[in-house]
Amino acid sequence: KKAYDFREIEARWLPFWEEDGTFVVDPADERPKKYVCDMFPYPSGDLHMGHAEAFAIGDVPARYARLRGYNVLHPIGWDSFGLPAENAAIKNNAHPAEWTYNNIETQAASFKRYGLSMDWTRRLHTSDSLYYRWTQWLFLQFYNRGLAYRKNSPVNWCPKDQTVLANEQVVGDGVCERCGTAVTKKALNQWYFKITEYADRLLEDMEQLEGTWPERVLAMQRNWIGRSTGAEVTYQIEGGEPISVFTTRPDTLYGVTFMVVAADADLALELVTDAQRAELEAYRDKLGSVSEIERQSADRERTGVFLGRYAIHPLTGEKLPIWASDYVLADYGTGAVMGVPAHDQRDLEFARAMGISVKVVVDTGEEDPAETGTATAGEGVAINSPKWDGLPKAEAIAKSIEVLEAEGLGAAKVNYRLRDWLLSRQRFWGAPIPIVHCADCGEVPVPEDQLPVELPTDLRGEQLSPKGKSPLAGAEGWVNVTCPSCGGEATRDTDTMDTFVDSSWYYLRYVDPTNESEVFPSEQVNQWLPVDQYVGGVEHAILHLLYSRFFTKVLYDLGLVNFTEPFKALMNQGQVLNGGKAMSKSLGNGVNLGEQLDLYGVDAVRLTMVFASPPEDDVDWADVSPSGSAKFLARAWRLAQDVESAPGTDPAAGSQALRAVTHRTIADVENLLEDQKFNVLVARIMELVNAARKEIDSGAGAADPAVREAAEVAAQILSLVAPYTAEDMWAMLGHQASVANSSWPAYDEALLVQDTITAVVQVKGKLRDKLEVPADISAEELEAQALALPKIQKYVEEDGGVRKVIVRAPKLVNVVTG
Ligand code: ANZ
Ligand code: ZN
């Protein structure tokens, strides 16, 4: 008999799937639809262990849905714009397209080898003009609705990448998400999407995701949107225009002893007196290099400049000194804060540093903050607050708002931490922003019939290096155009879009990726979407997922889709570690995926990934055994090989014990798939294979029809994780078509109730032991099992051996001795 040879098996089945079109969606297929989507890859080099894990996991629900009779869409594409291609092009004096499409081909070959159940005919690349033409078209729809606009303001700037960054791309303690360089601020004219207009809907619609998205992702989104309720209060300024502040604690109004404005905001310049101007400017000069997170951090030394001006307390008429400091952010609330040192820690630190008085207006039962240095921010009762003295916090807040509104001093207000999405980048390898700037007409959208605005193909190497403005500005032939509106001289916008714009809508495009006449066919999109199962890393918990949710809502408002959330269910796979640490070049603990595949085979690597832990947990490659997986696969495969020649007869005629295991396995695996416990599922196939092997060895051999049944079920379940081996088993078992398109085995309810009963075993009429046996056990079998019990053997021996055995199956055995 031939041995299990994964190389030979892979070489046979890979071309089969391709020729068979096993995973290609048939548009005429009328069965119910399921859309399983993996977050698409970025084409950096070849596939790595992280891809191997994520895609092995994502293939499980896709293949399961297929077996359950759904018409499954499981597509793949590439997120192929972005900086690394540009950096490679600069280094190699090439065009970013070369690096990008070479890598895509390499990855595509690896993905195919990996045996994923994907429809390769729907492949897309966001850097194809066929795709980005529609990214540009979408930008124009946003623009026409007033959801895309340009403004000049201080933005996050990465000095290394020489480009702006969205707030979401500033991570850790204020560094560039991509290169780790400390992010600075720079005043620039940039394009934004008005995501803030959707803040409430982004929050409310999370209701649809409750229970099907990981709770921590929802929490991160909620926190990022950061809804705060409170009040806006207006202060009169001596010798100046009134200013408003946002506060979550209007009940502390009587405790205000100063005001602070963001030092980097224009407001500071407007308020400062001539005498203080030089000091303020010196302070502002130092600010540029300090990150926002650092500025806000609790243990930072409080610094600031007195502006020489005073605000008037709206209720008491007291004079409040106005300061500028870096702990107040220019773009949150109104960029100005009422300082309540007794009840806000940062205000307290500032007041103590500047010698400003502290006034307690809430009695929390704690000691005086001015002495302890700890602000009392918790529950308490209002004191020293004539208009709401004695009220507990919540009531005091309500009352204070009532007073403010009645006296025209302020109003209730909701604030969001969420900022508009800064989408323009001063980089080359992205979708050009389809706007033309004309001296006479201003901003002019490129007419839709002139899309795409294609990237020039002649810029290479050094011409792409970052110079603080887009390399596109240097392509004169490209930049200079006639104004679509007046026909006069005009220039193209030279910025490109953040790649997160590309990835905010690709899952819609998979429905019809080569469509040249529309962004997507709404009717079909409404049939396929929302995506039933989305799979990807938790690193996208905010950025990509928030942006995609925003896009979907805008598309809904545009009447292009009939749903408001793009991803019905979300699964976040863990990371692949090695020795407890993320694999990385610097640690030298990287594992090469290609080598693992060569060594153990695709199925063994896939099985190892799925078996190692529940999908959402990390996999530590140092703790797993791909060679163990390979051995198991060989064992499973041999099972089919042994059964191969045996005739297929009614399994009901076979071993009932094995049938019970098989059917229990099917039923349990259904639940495990439902609960996404894919690792336990692998353990259950192993048990099934072992039970079948035992039956071959001890029972009626491979000819037992129950063994064939077990082998078939094992192949079908195994096809979810180890498709090559499963396919080969299925063929050996005599099937013509792919196991992937067989149907999920139905379990027999009657076989699940394992009717057992407790039999008592007596020696000379005395109870000596008990036995758990099937209710339909035969008298012979019961007698044999009873006599085999060690305790019984001991008594029998002491009493002079067996004289006679009385059996009342299934309940009683009495051994008469002597
Ligand atoms: C007075 C006060 C008293 C405050 C008190 C808090 C406690 P969240 O929850 O994040 O919305 N604040 C307002 N605008 C700010 C800005 N641009 N930069 C820094 N801080 C700002 O926080 C709102 C609170 O943060 C506001 O309520 C304000 O301080 C401060 F016992 O006003 B509070
Ligand atoms: Zn014009």
Side-chain angles (χ1 to χ4, degrees), residues 228 246-249 252 327-329 332 337-338 340 343-344:
S228 295
F246 172 69
T247 176
T248 48
R249 295 291 306 273
T252 63
Y327 80 94
V328 174
L329 305 176
Y332 186 72
V337 166
M338 58 184 222
V340 186
H343 307 294
D344 181 280

Side-chain angles (χ1 to χ4, degrees), residues 138-148 193 550-551 554 558:
L138 285 168
F139 174 92
L140 292 178
Q141 309 314 304
F142 280 54
Y143 183 83
N144 293 338
R145 279 184 86 84
L147 293 172
F193 280 143
F550 164 58
F551 256 61
V554 176
L558 286 164

Side-chain angles (χ1 to χ4, degrees), residues 113-368:
R113 175 185 183 186
Y114 206 52
L116 301 166
S117 65
M118 283 169 159
D119 182 348
W120 282 90
T121 66
R122 286 168 188 259
R123 168 176 174 175
L124 59 79
H125 316 125
T126 59
S127 56
D128 290 354
S129 61
L130 177 65
Y131 183 90
Y132 72 73
R133 170 207 179 121
W134 298 108
T135 306
Q136 292 172 333
W137 183 86
L138 285 168
F139 174 92
L140 292 178
Q141 309 314 304
F142 280 54
Y143 183 83
N144 293 338
R145 279 184 86 84
L147 293 172
Y149 67 95
R150 215 153 70 121
K151 78 169 175 203
N152 199 325
S153 75
V155 297
N156 302 309
W157 177 261
C158 174
K160 170 133 184 296
D161 293 334
Q162 294 275 305
T163 185
V164 300
L165 300 170
N167 283 353
E168 291 83 350
Q169 288 166 319
V170 181
V171 297
D173 43 337
V175 302
C176 170
E177 167 208 39
R178 195 181 303 278
C179 72
T181 305
V183 172
T184 59
K185 288 276 180 184
K186 188 167 171 171
L188 281 175
N189 206 3
Q190 296 291 313
W191 286 98
Y192 294 82
F193 280 143
K194 233 184 231 171
I195 191 171
T196 52
E197 200 161 283
Y198 284 73
D200 258 333
R201 284 166 67 184
L202 286 165
L203 270 180
E204 282 162 19
D205 288 350
M206 268 192 247
E207 222 173 80
Q208 297 177 42
L209 313 175
E210 219 69 65
T212 50
W213 276 40
E215 185 43 50
R216 68 171 167 162
V217 173
L218 294 178
M220 283 165 87
Q221 293 228 346
R222 217 172 274 125
N223 186 42
W224 187 261
I225 296 164
R227 187 178 196 269
S228 295
T229 56
E232 213 162 84
V233 186
T234 306
Y235 285 77
Q236 299 301 321
I237 306 297
E238 266 190 9
E241 296 296 309
I243 60 176
S244 293
V245 301
F246 172 69
T247 176
T248 48
R249 295 291 306 273
D251 61 314
T252 63
L253 198 56
Y254 286 100
V256 176
T257 54
F258 61 101
M259 287 192 66
V260 205
V261 300
D264 52 341
D266 289 346
L267 188 57
L269 291 176
E270 286 162 25
L271 289 167
V272 73
T273 56
D274 287 342
Q276 296 297 102
R277 188 171 303 274
E279 201 184 324
L280 174 67
E281 274 166 5
Y283 184 72
R284 281 165 64 103
D285 284 346
K286 282 189 295 181
L287 260 184
S289 60
V290 185
S291 79
E292 212 161 271
I293 299 191
E294 205 178 316
R295 284 169 53 171
Q296 289 257 77
S297 92
D299 46 6
R300 187 174 150 78
E301 192 201 337
R302 299 289 158 210
T303 58
V305 175
F306 174 51
L307 296 181
R309 202 174 292 282
Y310 294 87
I312 308 301
H313 193 288
L315 297 179
T316 67
E318 270 171 287
K319 273 174 71 166
L320 308 167
I322 307 177
W323 289 71
S325 173
D326 63 1
Y327 80 94
V328 174
L329 305 176
D331 62 355
Y332 186 72
T334 63
V337 166
M338 58 184 222
V340 186
H343 307 294
D344 181 280
Q345 188 59 31
R346 286 169 308 173
D347 290 348
L348 181 61
E349 285 160 17
F350 189 78
R352 280 160 61 106
M354 306 303 166
I356 300 169
S357 64
V358 177
K359 192 176 164 200
V360 177
V361 292
V362 182
D363 182 2
T364 64
E366 290 154 284
E367 281 168 52
D368 185 355

Side-chain angles (χ1 to χ4, degrees), residues 531-602:
V531 172
D532 293 283
Q533 181 66 63
Y534 199 38
V535 182
V538 73
E539 67 273 18
H540 295 294
I542 299 172
L543 291 140
H544 163 59
L545 291 170
L546 191 70
Y547 293 153
S548 297
R549 297 183 57 222
F550 164 58
F551 256 61
T552 300
K553 290 172 207 309
V554 176
L555 293 172
Y556 175 86
D557 292 350
L558 286 164
L560 291 170
V561 301
N562 67 1
F563 47 90
T564 52
E565 285 292 335
F567 313 121
K568 239 188 256 176
L570 172 69
M571 180 157 53
N572 286 139
Q573 83 282 353
Q575 273 190 296
V576 187
L577 316 173
N578 191 15
K581 295 205 174 73
M583 293 187 188
S584 81
K585 272 207 187 103
S586 59
L587 288 173
N589 67 344
V591 174
N592 182 289
L593 173 62
E595 283 170 18
Q596 299 290 307
L597 297 179
D598 290 345
L599 218 53
Y600 305 109
V602 168

